[in-house]
């Protein structure tokens, strides 16, 4: 029978281990937040490397290594540049239209303010305090700062990707020579599976975003709401951000529909149909195309999006789900951490323990 002293010692050890674990988690989160200029570009670079590496490896069979790297980087830059150009073009047209129709939006605001004041909500002070020349100048300044930050962020990511593509094969060789082969196999097998899932994730997300964008484009064209093509492109871009992106992609066109139509019923119809498109594509079509490979708990997806957005801002919103995919995939490769995947992800494939 276990002595009381030994039982108390074991209980104290468990509490100490729990406290150390909590403290380590807090310090890790704080380090990721403080080190955003380093870790956020690195996360994006690893994601891009996983996508681009098959092209790089295939080209290296027939071409010198640096030539293959140059072709891979040009191809990736063209795709990313085209995405950024289309998104910027669409947003600039929406902003120009909003400025041109400022009078209509002012009338809409007056109607909403009158309705709210009739129900005991005073918004006049809110407008004077926040929507003034100073607020507008500050908003323009924030946008300029964000654009400059994105340019520097992209340059850092590009440097990471170039160096990372050159280091893939040496890194694999170092892992194969590691003394601790358990860790080596987790990283080798898990890393290969993470890269496969990343490519599947990007392909599925791109296809579903394109389908949703085309549906939105067609429906808004039929409704007579202006900028149908632009809203389709914006929907395509926003759908790369789970949860938050689809919500914004339905709310923004609805606001323009409210200003366009005389009746609230028409705007509600637009909002309902756009949400129906998002639901059908996101909840019905996408799971059938993606299969069980990318199955993640919806709660965990929502938590990941908000957590990484809070930690890294807009870049975290885009990269949050890929980070979760990597964590769950690596946890599945070792028996001691497989419970994390079983709890938050897809049920792991049955395997025989060695």
């Amino acid at each position: 029978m276990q002595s009381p002293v030994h039982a108390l010692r074991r209980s104290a050890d468990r509490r100490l281990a729990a406290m150390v674990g909590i403290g380590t988690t807090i310090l890790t989160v704080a380090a990721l937040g403080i080190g955003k200029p380093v870790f956020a570009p690195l996360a994006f670079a690893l994601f891009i490397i996983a996508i681009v590496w098959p092209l790089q490896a295939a080209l290296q069979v027939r071409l010198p290594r640096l030539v293959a790297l140059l072709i891979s980087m040009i191809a990736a830059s063209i795709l990313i540049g085209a995405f950024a150009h289309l998104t910027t073009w669409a947003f600039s047209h929406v902003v120009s239209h909003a400025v041109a129709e400022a009078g209509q939006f002012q009338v809409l605001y007056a109607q909403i303010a009158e309705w709210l004041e009739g129900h005991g909500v005073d918004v006049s002070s809110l407008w004077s305090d926040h929507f003034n020349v100073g607020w507008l100048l500050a908003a323009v300044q924030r946008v300029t700062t964000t654009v400059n930050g994105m340019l520097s962020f992209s340059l850092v990511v590009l440097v990471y990707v170039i160096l990372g593509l050159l280091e893939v094969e040496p890194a694999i060789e170092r892992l194969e020579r590691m003394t601790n082969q358990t860790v080596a196999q987790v990283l080798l097998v898990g890393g290969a599976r993470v890269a496969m899932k990343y490519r599947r994730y990007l392909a599925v997300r791109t296809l579903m975003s394109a389908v949703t964008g085309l549906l939105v484009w067609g429906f808004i064209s039929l409704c007579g709401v202006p900028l149908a093509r632009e809203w389709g492109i914006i929907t395509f871009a926003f759908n790369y951000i789970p949860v938050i992106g689809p919500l914004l992609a339905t709310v923004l066109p609805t606001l323009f529909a409210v200003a366009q139509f005389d009746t609230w019923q028409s705007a509600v119809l637009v909002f309902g149909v756009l949400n129906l498109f998002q639901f059908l594509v996101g909840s019905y079509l996408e799971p059938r195309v993606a299969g069980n490979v990318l199955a993640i708990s919806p709660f965990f997806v929502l938590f990941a999006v908000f957590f990484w957005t809070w930690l890294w801002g807009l870049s975290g919103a885009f990269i949050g789900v890929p980070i979760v995919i990597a964590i769950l995939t690596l946890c599945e490769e070792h028996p001691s951490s497989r419970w994390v995947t079983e709890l938050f992800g897809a049920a792991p494939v049955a395997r025989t323990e060695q």
Side-chain angles (χ1 to χ4, degrees):
M1 184 174 177
Q2 192 178 46
S3 66
V5 175
H6 186 63
L8 288 174
R9 184 177 298 171
R10 289 189 61 185
S11 176
D13 290 341
R14 284 196 297 269
R15 288 196 296 269
L16 178 61
M19 292 175 63
V20 170
I22 294 172
T24 302
T25 301
I26 294 173
L27 290 175
T28 301
V29 172
L32 287 172
I34 296 171
K36 173 189 172 181
V38 176
F39 294 119
L42 178 60
F44 267 90
L46 292 174
F47 179 73
I48 295 172
I49 289 169
I51 303 300
V52 175
W53 173 246
L55 174 62
Q56 167 82 5
L59 291 173
Q60 285 183 181
V61 175
R62 296 179 174 83
L63 299 172
R65 190 177 182 187
L66 292 179
V67 176
L69 174 62
L70 179 62
I71 295 174
S72 300
M73 292 308 304
I74 290 174
S77 299
I78 290 174
L79 291 175
I80 295 173
F83 176 83
H85 173 73
L86 281 174
T87 306
T88 304
W89 173 84
F91 269 108
S92 64
H93 278 228
V94 169
V95 171
S96 299
H97 182 81
V99 172
E101 298 293 331
Q104 183 66 27
F105 284 105
Q106 181 66 34
V107 171
L108 174 64
Y109 167 78
Q111 293 174 348
I112 295 174
E114 182 180 356
W115 184 86
L116 289 174
E117 288 173 0
H119 290 76
V121 180
D122 183 17
V123 296
S124 57
S125 59
L126 177 67
W127 179 267
S128 60
D129 291 341
H130 297 282
F131 297 94
N132 48 45
V133 175
W135 175 86
L136 182 61
L137 291 175
V140 172
Q141 201 170 40
R142 283 195 298 269
V143 171
T144 304
T145 303
T146 302
V147 171
N148 292 333
M150 289 177 63
L151 291 175
S152 60
F153 181 88
S154 301
L155 290 175
V156 175
V157 171
L158 179 62
V159 173
Y160 273 138
V161 171
I162 293 173
L163 296 177
L165 286 172
L166 292 174
E167 280 291 315
V168 171
E169 291 179 337
I172 293 175
E173 293 173 0
R174 287 194 293 269
L175 286 173
E176 290 174 344
R177 294 195 303 266
M178 278 183 63
T179 304
N180 191 337
Q181 279 299 299
T182 301
V183 174
Q185 286 303 309
V186 168
L187 294 177
L188 283 170
V189 178
R193 294 186 65 232
V194 167
M196 181 273 294
K197 288 188 176 185
Y198 276 177
R199 293 189 287 273
R200 183 74 177 272
Y201 170 81
L202 186 62
V204 170
R205 180 62 62 183
T206 300
L207 177 61
M208 295 300 103
S209 297
V211 170
T212 309
L214 289 172
L215 289 172
V216 170
W217 183 352
F219 174 72
I220 291 181
S221 298
L222 292 175
C223 290
V225 178
L227 307 173
R229 180 173 50 182
E230 286 80 353
W231 288 124
I233 294 172
I234 290 173
T235 300
F236 170 75
F238 275 4
N239 271 35
Y240 281 93
I241 305 176
V243 184
I244 299 176
L247 177 62
L248 292 175
T250 57
V251 170
L252 293 179
T254 302
L255 293 177
F256 276 73
V258 171
Q260 177 74 16
F261 300 121
D262 294 330
T263 62
W264 285 94
Q265 292 84 352
S266 300
V268 170
L269 175 64
V270 171
F271 182 74
V273 173
L274 293 181
N275 275 282
L276 178 63
F277 289 158
Q278 295 287 357
F279 174 78
L280 291 176
V281 175
S283 301
Y284 180 79
L285 185 59
E286 184 172 339
R288 282 156 179 77
V289 174
N292 199 43
V293 177
L294 303 179
I296 304 174
S297 163
F299 170 82
F300 207 38
V301 170
L302 183 64
F303 171 78
V305 171
F306 281 107
F307 174 78
W308 290 104
T309 302
W310 166 73
L311 200 64
W312 288 349
L314 183 61
S315 58
F318 275 97
I319 203 65
V321 172
I323 290 175
V324 168
I325 291 173
I327 292 173
L328 294 180
T329 303
L330 290 174
C331 286
E332 188 179 352
E333 293 303 316
H334 198 277
S336 64
S337 58
R338 198 166 296 154
W339 65 270
V340 177
T341 305
E342 293 173 349
L343 183 61
F344 295 111
V349 179
R351 66 185 73 189
T352 302
E353 303 296 343
Q354 301 295 329

